[in-house]
Amino acid sequence: MLNNNQCMTAALDIMCVLCSDLQVESPERVTEGDSVRLTCKSSCALTDGATFIWYRNSQPLTERRDRNNQLLLQSVRREDAGRYSCALHGHIYISPAVQLSVTYPPKCVSVSISPSGEIVEGDSVTLSCSSDSNPAAEISWFKGGTSIGSGRIYSISKIRSDHSGEYKCIDEHGEKYSDAVTLNVMYPPRNVSVSIVQSGQFWEGDSVTLICSSDSNPPAEISWFKENQSSAVGSGQSFSALQSGRFYCEAHNQHGSQRSDAVTVTVKGHLLILYISIGVFCGAAVITTMLLIWSVFDCRYLTSFITFNKNNKENI
């Protein structure tokens, strides 16, 4: 025969086995940091000694076994979100699960770039914004301080050099910006030109400085050429020309190359100066000689004239 306690336990077991209407009452949504109370309800007549077990995502919360039918979550964390259900200790029936959603602002907002390697002008590029807020918030994109779009994905097809710059996104739920990422677009040289630093005439022995300008990323290497010569005559952004000719520069990096138009450098030789000086000297000497001859002739003529007049007077 069973004693009274055994009878009560047996009766309770039969009642719990037959009782299959356990239900969890819980708010659907709670904000991180708040407290929430979940209740396991049943239409069965349960004794005060009944022990409840709580489950989250089908895993038992071993530290949440209690003799009352409520589960108190204090200072809720985002990790507490999940599907909650309850059961009576020692029995197999588990209540239907109820979803508890925890709302929270983002802790981390970040941007990733695809492709992740070198980006060349003309490529297609995708920027993705990752945010861990709940609920998912609207995402806005900025280049520098200028708004450029919205959505978790920002795509650029046939990227240009002017797309280079710093990009960031913001999760408007928490108004939290991501760290800025730099988009660095590579492109071949363009707008290559040559300028002459000095102005005026250049003489033999003078150094005429030429400057090569170009726009490229990464910066281009510069080679200098003289027209009608196949090999380079110099390198670097500046070049010193010591002789007449037409010169041009060529800018090149790993993405391409471009040459400038040629500029004409005219260097006047010192022999020309010597010839001009000799000509001027000779011309002056000839003129001086002619003036002396003319002076001598004029003096003799004047002397003859005076002598002639004197003789005539004596005869008279």
Side-chain angles (χ1 to χ4, degrees):
M1 283 184 67
L2 299 176
N3 59 33
N4 291 336
N5 289 335
Q6 290 175 327
C7 289
M8 290 180 62
T9 301
L12 180 60
D13 288 345
I14 295 172
M15 178 181 64
C16 291
V17 169
L18 296 175
C19 184
S20 59
D21 65 343
L22 291 175
Q23 300 288 333
V24 175
E25 288 187 352
S26 168
E28 291 184 1
R29 195 180 300 272
V30 63
T31 301
E32 188 175 43
D34 290 349
S35 295
V36 62
R37 191 180 300 273
L38 288 75
T39 303
C40 185
K41 287 193 172 183
S42 174
S43 61
C44 296
L46 304 178
T47 67
D48 293 338
T51 301
F52 293 85
I53 301 174
W54 289 91
Y55 297 84
R56 182 176 66 232
N57 300 327
S58 301
Q59 299 299 316
L61 299 174
T62 56
E63 297 180 359
R64 298 295 186 179
R65 185 179 300 177
D66 206 340
R67 290 187 180 277
N68 63 53
N69 65 336
Q70 291 187 333
L71 174 65
L72 177 62
L73 300 177
Q74 293 182 324
S75 189
V76 173
R77 304 168 301 164
R78 60 188 66 190
E79 294 83 1
D80 291 327
R83 297 180 61 80
Y84 285 82
S85 55
C86 66
L88 285 168
H89 178 57
H91 303 282
I92 62 174
Y93 179 76
I94 300 176
S95 72
V98 172
Q99 180 69 40
L100 176 67
S101 179
V102 180
T103 64
Y104 48 86
K107 283 186 177 179
C108 179
V109 181
S110 61
V111 176
S112 59
I113 301 175
S114 178
S116 58
E118 186 176 79
I119 297 172
V120 181
E121 195 171 43
D123 288 348
S124 294
V125 177
T126 299
L127 285 78
S128 301
C129 184
S130 175
S131 171
D132 60 350
S133 64
N134 184 37
E138 179 70 19
I139 299 295
S140 296
W141 288 92
F142 291 83
K143 180 187 177 187
T146 303
S147 176
I148 56 173
S150 61
R152 293 195 171 269
I153 302 297
Y154 182 73
S155 298
I156 307 173
S157 60
K158 294 184 178 179
I159 198 166
R160 305 184 307 271
S161 59
D162 57 3
H163 284 120
S164 293
E166 289 191 340
Y167 290 78
K168 58 187 176 183
C169 64
I170 181 174
D171 182 323
E172 294 182 345
H173 178 69
E175 296 184 353
K176 182 177 179 65
Y177 283 96
S178 69
D179 291 335
V181 296
T182 300
L183 196 58
N184 188 23
V185 182
M186 304 292 180
Y187 54 95
R190 59 195 180 197
N191 303 324
V192 182
S193 63
V194 175
S195 59
I196 302 177
V197 175
Q198 303 97 322
S199 61
Q201 294 182 333
F202 306 105
W203 306 101
E204 188 177 14
D206 290 344
S207 175
V208 182
T209 302
L210 307 179
I211 299 294
C212 184
S213 300
S214 67
D215 175 25
S216 66
N217 189 24
E221 295 182 2
I222 305 297
S223 299
W224 289 90
F225 296 87
K226 185 178 181 181
E227 279 192 344
N228 302 321
Q229 291 187 12
S230 58
S231 59
V233 295
S235 61
Q237 189 175 11
S238 63
F239 171 71
S240 296
L242 300 175
Q243 55 182 294
S244 298
R246 287 177 59 79
F247 296 87
Y248 64 90
C249 67
E250 182 176 279
H252 52 93
N253 62 16
Q254 61 264 44
H255 304 294
S257 63
Q258 187 181 80
R259 58 170 286 183
S260 70
D261 293 333
V263 297
T264 301
V265 174
T266 302
V267 178
K268 297 183 178 181
H270 286 301
L271 288 177
L272 178 60
I273 301 174
L274 180 61
Y275 293 151
I276 293 174
S277 299
I278 292 173
V280 171
F281 176 77
C282 291
V286 170
I287 293 173
T288 301
T289 301
M290 291 181 63
L291 289 175
L292 288 173
I293 294 173
W294 175 258
S295 297
V296 172
F297 174 79
D298 187 58
C299 182
R300 289 178 178 177
Y301 174 78
L302 181 59
T303 301
S304 298
F305 179 76
I306 294 173
T307 302
F308 175 77
N309 287 339
K310 184 177 178 182
N311 291 336
N312 285 340
K313 287 181 180 181
E314 291 177 354
N315 292 335
I316 295 173

